[in-house]
Structure formats: structure tokens, C-alpha cells
Amino acid sequence: MSRVLITGANKGIGFEAARRLVAAGHTVYVGSRDVERGRRAAAEIGTVAVQLDITDDGSVNAAVAAIEADGGLDVLVNNAGIQTEMGADGTVLGAAELTADMMRETFETNVFGTVRVLHAFLPLLEKSDAPVVVNVSSGLASLRRITTEGDTAYQYPGVAYPASKTAVNALTIQYAKAFPGIRINSVEPGYTRTDLNNNLGRQTVQEAAEIIVRMAQIGVDGPTGGYFDINGELPW
């Protein structure tokens, strides 16, 4: 059984993935920016909470120390993310409304936060016999999909969120090449009813978590440097 850290796991898809992995017998660390919410979520599924704000070096380093002291890490799921361009009513700000501040805020969590966590936890992962990284991406990250008329991703007008997830996909490719001993992949959970999109998605967190749970449990012969949804590999 593996030791798994999921960032942003106190609710939504991250929480459901944590619940499923605990049920499968794994030790799961529920990463949460808010300490109390993390504790409540971990208690609900019988696992361990770790305070983790992926935008803060001190928080990330403290999480590394805590998990290392508890026995190490086999699987890292980079799930925490934000979508600042979507309003409470589901309205998405497009290119005309995009500001540098909006782009910066989005990238600070979705890209720089992911890099911060990867950099900090790679030494622990390299000590594992079967290390895995799952980067939670989006269908909006696919350049082919957002340039294909008729594809649902083509219709999305926002800029910051898709660009941040395309960057995450590039991270996946480059880290996979740099660390061939670690299985590193991006996954697309699908448009899911969560707080990220004000619960406007089409599918449940149970459906969305399936690809995360599946890829978190791949073995040493599993794929790496890929981009997947529940039906298989996706176009970059």
C-alpha cells in the first residue's frame, strides 16, 4: 500500500479521491490550506490531515517535514487549484477583461504552487520504490481541443485558467523526462460540480475522482509523461 498526499483535499474532487484511496487501503494525507477544515475532512474518512498552502514556502516545507517524519511519500496528487475568472453566476471573464493581476493570481496557485510542491517533495518521492505524481489538469489545457470548433473546450472564453493548465501539462512532460523513475502524468477529471466552478459542472465528484484514483495507483510499468481522462489518452 502507498502513502499518498493530495493537495486541496478537504473538499470536492480531492476529498473524494482521498476517500476512495483510503477505502482501497492506502495511507492518505489530506492537504488543506485551512487547518480546521482539513482536520474535519480527514476525520470523516479516517485519515491524516496536513496543513498545506501551496503558495507558501514555509507551509510546504513544514508539510514535507511532517510527512517525512511519518514514513515518507509514494504518491503526490497536485489537485489544489483556482479559477478566478469565473463569477458566482457562472459568467466567465474573457480576453477583453483579462488583467495581468488575474493571470498572476491564477498562475501563483495553479502553476507556481504546483512547482513549489513538486520541488519540495521530489526528494521524498525518489526514496520510494514506486513513486507517482498525478497533476490534475483540465480539458481546457488541450491546445487541440480549444482550437477545434464544435469541441466544448472551444466555447470557453476564459484565458487564465486554460493557460495555467496548459502550463501544468508542460510541467508534466518536462518533469517526466527529467525523472524517468517516477510515473508523472496529467489527468482531466471532467467538468464537475465543485466550488471551483460554483457547482455548475455536469458530473459528480465521484465520476471525476475515478481518473485520479486510477492514475494514483499505477505501478512501475505504468505510463509516464501522458495526459489522460477516464476514456484514455488526450491530445495535447
Side-chain angles (χ1 to χ4, degrees):
M1 293 294 102
S2 297
R3 307 179 76 84
V4 184
L5 168 63
I6 305 178
T7 66
N10 63 287
K11 61 182 180 179
I13 299 171
F15 176 77
E16 177 61 18
R19 186 192 69 78
R20 296 264 296 275
L21 289 165
V22 169
H26 302 285
T27 297
V28 179
Y29 299 99
V30 171
S32 175
R33 183 172 54 184
D34 185 286
V35 174
E36 191 52 44
R37 288 179 181 176
R39 286 174 181 164
R40 288 199 299 266
E44 184 176 339
I45 58 177
T47 191
V48 182
V50 173
Q51 196 282 327
L52 181 56
D53 178 352
I54 70 171
T55 67
D56 181 79
D57 287 327
S59 174
V60 172
N61 292 336
V64 171
I67 291 173
E68 183 174 25
D70 199 43
L73 189 67
D74 302 298
V75 180
L76 170 62
V77 179
N78 286 308
N79 169 71
I82 61 172
Q83 191 170 4
T84 58
E85 61 208 31
M86 179 174 282
D89 61 354
T91 301
V92 177
L93 300 178
E97 296 83 19
L98 179 69
T99 65
D101 286 343
M102 185 188 301
M103 184 70 85
R104 186 179 296 110
E105 182 181 0
T106 303
F107 269 59
E108 184 60 52
T109 294
N110 295 1
V111 182
F112 305 149
T114 297
V115 171
R116 181 177 286 107
V117 172
L118 280 166
H119 181 74
F121 279 97
L122 276 168
L124 284 189
L125 289 167
E126 289 189 289
K127 295 177 183 178
S128 170
D129 292 332
V132 171
V133 173
V134 180
N135 292 325
V136 178
S137 182
S138 168
L140 297 172
S142 169
L143 296 180
R144 182 184 299 178
R145 290 190 60 186
I146 66 172
T147 55
T148 301
E149 292 189 43
D151 193 299
T152 55
Y154 182 89
Q155 307 303 321
Y156 184 82
V159 178
Y161 183 75
S164 74
K165 292 301 186 177
T166 301
V168 167
N169 280 0
L171 293 177
T172 292
I173 293 168
Q174 297 300 86
Y175 274 87
K177 291 190 295 184
F179 297 93
I182 306 177
R183 306 294 89 185
I184 304 175
N185 295 287
S186 285
V187 299
E188 142 68 325
Y191 189 36
T192 307
R193 291 188 293 276
T194 68
D195 288 349
L196 183 76
N197 55 41
N198 301 298
N199 294 295
L200 296 170
R202 290 186 293 272
Q203 64 177 14
T204 66
V205 292
Q206 289 78 19
E207 293 171 306
E210 175 62 31
I211 186 60
I212 297 174
V213 171
R214 180 186 299 178
M215 297 305 289
Q217 298 182 98
I218 61 174
V220 294
D221 295 326
T224 191
Y227 175 35
F228 302 91
D229 69 3
I230 197 63
N231 296 311
E233 198 156 7
L234 294 172
W236 297 109

